[in-house]
Amino acid sequence: MEPISLSQYERVVFFTGAGMSAESGVPTYRGRGGIWAQYRWEEYACQDAFDADPDKVLAFHQQRRGRVLACQPHAGHSHLAALQGAHPGLSIVTQNTDGMHQRASARDVVELHGSLWRLRCARHGRIEDLAAAEYARRACAECGATLRPDITWFADSVNAAVFARAQRLIEQAQLFVAVGTSGIVYPAAGLVPLAARGSARMIEINPDQTELSGLFAEHVREPAGTAVPRLFKY
Ligand code: APR
């Protein structure tokens, strides 16, 4: 595929998943070395597990945060952030909770599955931004409940306002680029058919075929770290 000048598109959405951060050393969820092949999500990534043993679940997520902090954004993250700086209509919608786009200076990232760097009260929705401070048991100032990671676990609902914002951006997009997502976790994966129903140019960047590959007109079977800088210019 020839390099694409983004200036010809008024509205552009990059929709990213765990594969976007893979070359930084952040493990993906599925596939070789995937988190869910090593850990049972039922024990570490659902509200029931947290209610049963908050310390165990917090420790798991603290370990993930440590791993992420030891990783650095790669050339693909940096290039995407620079493109966003040059193009006011470029949005980044991510399923990632690792904050790598922001560390590469991207702004206003739409985080569909929340962030590993925040805690939240499951009852009141109060959010505490911890940045890199260690996860430890913290009580909600309103109800005293133990705050949980502000990320979307299995059987959780996504944040409706954040999801609605992603839908609006995607409905208006003239170019939609999915990077490094297996496209099997809904409702996030449903944003791809939403983009395809409109008139957006559809590009998939992923070394492997995915469940949703058929919805894309163009496929780039390369890793994100080389494909994103090579293919997109302002
Ligand atoms: N560049 C691009 N894509 C890559 C790379 C790379 N270097 N390495 C791997 N991939 C692709 C894989 O081929 C796979 O299709 O990234 C995808 C990662 O898929 P998942 O691990 O399933 O990640 P994701 O799609 O983001 O998962 C969605 O599932 O468990 C939940 O909440 C979690 O947000 C996550 C959601």
Side-chain angles (χ1 to χ4, degrees):
M1 188 188 289
E2 289 300 306
I4 297 167
S5 169
L6 296 188
S7 55
Q8 61 186 308
Y9 300 100
E10 206 177 319
R11 306 215 169 267
V12 177
V13 172
F14 280 80
F15 175 62
T16 66
M20 180 76 212
S21 296
E23 289 150 273
S24 290
V26 181
T28 58
Y29 294 97
R30 299 169 187 82
R32 202 156 30 87
I35 291 171
W36 303 139
Q38 252 182 298
Y39 295 93
R40 292 182 67 240
W41 64 260
E42 293 89 338
E43 284 181 50
Y44 295 99
C46 63
Q47 185 69 43
D48 286 349
F50 185 73
D51 292 341
D53 193 343
D55 291 330
K56 174 175 166 179
V57 171
L58 285 172
F60 166 73
H61 288 86
Q62 180 57 31
Q63 185 198 330
R64 287 200 56 209
R65 295 165 90 238
R67 175 96 190 251
V68 169
L69 266 190
C71 298
Q72 299 304 323
H74 60 60
H77 293 109
S78 307
H79 189 72
L80 191 49
L83 287 172
Q84 190 191 36
H87 191 315
L90 190 157
S91 306
I92 300 171
V93 175
T94 191
Q95 297 163 87
N96 299 343
T97 57
D98 58 23
M100 295 297 266
H101 285 300
Q102 292 90 330
R103 278 173 62 193
S105 301
R107 53 179 164 72
D108 204 16
V109 178
V110 181
E111 293 181 308
L112 292 171
H113 293 165
S115 169
L116 273 174
W117 311 105
R118 298 189 297 262
L119 290 172
R120 158 167 60 91
C121 172
R123 259 182 255 164
H124 292 97
R126 272 179 76 92
I127 288 179
E128 244 188 74
D129 197 337
L130 289 180
E134 188 159 345
Y135 271 8
R137 273 200 193 221
R138 285 169 193 258
C140 170
E142 279 179 53
C143 68
T146 304
L147 299 177
R148 53 161 280 179
D150 182 24
I151 61 178
T152 305
W153 282 330
F154 289 88
D156 282 349
S157 301
V158 292
N159 180 311
V162 174
F163 195 75
R165 183 166 175 232
Q167 284 176 312
R168 278 196 303 278
L169 290 167
I170 287 167
E171 278 163 352
Q172 294 167 2
Q174 290 132 12
L175 173 65
F176 179 85
V177 185
V179 189
T181 177
S182 59
I184 62 172
V185 172
Y186 285 80
L191 294 171
V192 177
L194 179 69
R197 280 199 292 277
S199 53
R201 178 174 178 182
M202 302 284 294
I203 301 176
E204 178 180 61
I205 298 177
N206 195 315
D208 296 322
Q209 194 167 334
T210 71
E211 297 284 317
L212 298 177
S213 290
L215 293 172
F216 294 88
E218 296 161 275
H219 306 95
V220 181
R221 299 282 171 234
E222 277 176 48
T226 46
V228 171
R230 185 175 69 75
L231 283 177
F232 302 100
K233 316 272 173 235
Y234 182 62

